[in-house]
Amino acid sequence: MITFTYLNKNEKDIFLPKLFDLLYDNMREIAPSELSYELEKKQWLDNVSPAIDKPARQIILCFDNYKLIGYIQYYISGKLLMVEELQLKKEYHCTLTFYRFCKYFIGTLPADIEHVEAFAEKRNRNSQKLMQKLGMELIDSSSEFVHLRGAANELIKKFIL
């Protein structure tokens, strides 16, 4: 059974390494790094761990029968939702799990969100296509990441039956 829960930030040291491994498994072929696995993991943990301590930053975990299969990392600033990361294990790609995850996530958001933004690694074409399909538009591509933005109400409509 698929379930969702917010990360208890007191347990971040337990979960963040697992979240990195999920991200690494998904991205190592799409956007390989020149760094070793150990160094890449250390850098990610060194950046994400202190960021998660900020009250606005949240992570929702997705489980299938108590097995971690995905997460959404995000923050809200005023009327802006910034989705920093959304990962699902490969075997759950192209399933209804993404839809269910997003539907759950939307149900947790404040009603006054007006815009949604996200970044994607330039080499991750699938992520970019998905965000564009959800109504997000490219607003910057001057770095190794592309920055997309969309109207929250339009994106939310796609998950409401």
Side-chain angles (χ1 to χ4, degrees):
M1 175 170 51
I2 303 292
T3 57
F4 309 99
T5 188
Y6 275 87
L7 171 70
N8 176 339
K9 293 182 180 188
N10 293 326
E11 297 178 343
K12 72 176 186 172
D13 292 338
I14 296 167
F15 279 97
L16 289 182
K18 296 174 184 181
L19 301 184
F20 174 80
D21 287 342
L22 203 158
L23 169 68
Y24 183 82
D25 285 345
N26 282 339
M27 295 302 294
R28 67 180 169 196
E29 292 174 12
I30 296 169
S33 169
E34 295 177 8
L35 302 176
S36 68
Y37 164 84
E38 292 79 14
L39 186 54
E40 194 171 341
K41 186 172 192 173
K42 181 184 180 328
Q43 285 184 352
W44 188 86
L45 291 171
D46 287 349
N47 285 311
V48 174
S49 184
I52 291 304
D53 291 334
K54 297 177 182 177
R57 284 206 162 74
Q58 299 294 324
I59 294 178
I60 299 175
L61 304 171
C62 179
F63 295 91
D64 186 358
N65 292 319
Y66 305 103
K67 176 184 166 196
L68 180 69
I69 62 164
Y71 69 98
I72 295 175
Q73 178 181 324
Y74 72 96
Y75 67 87
I76 296 171
S77 178
K79 296 179 186 257
L80 171 71
L81 166 63
M82 175 60 76
V83 179
E84 296 180 298
E85 199 68 60
L86 191 158
Q87 294 292 330
L88 281 173
K89 285 191 166 278
K90 289 179 185 179
E91 56 264 33
Y92 293 87
H93 292 186
C94 301
T95 71
L96 287 176
T97 304
F98 173 77
Y99 172 81
R100 291 182 59 204
F101 202 175
C102 290
K103 190 169 173 94
Y104 174 85
F105 177 45
I106 288 166
T108 69
L109 298 174
D112 64 345
I113 297 294
E114 292 180 1
H115 299 303
V116 178
E117 293 187 13
F119 289 86
E121 218 283 353
K122 274 187 179 174
R123 296 173 286 183
N124 191 345
R125 300 281 186 218
N126 289 338
S127 182
Q128 293 174 54
K129 287 178 189 176
L130 176 61
M131 286 189 275
Q132 289 170 339
K133 186 176 180 179
L134 293 173
M136 299 176 77
E137 296 179 358
L138 180 67
I139 58 174
D140 184 32
S141 63
S142 60
S143 73
E144 65 188 89
F145 298 95
V146 295
H147 185 180
L148 294 99
R149 179 182 178 108
N153 63 341
E154 293 300 316
L155 193 141
I156 289 169
K157 284 180 192 176
K158 300 197 184 308
F159 293 97
I160 305 299
L161 292 176

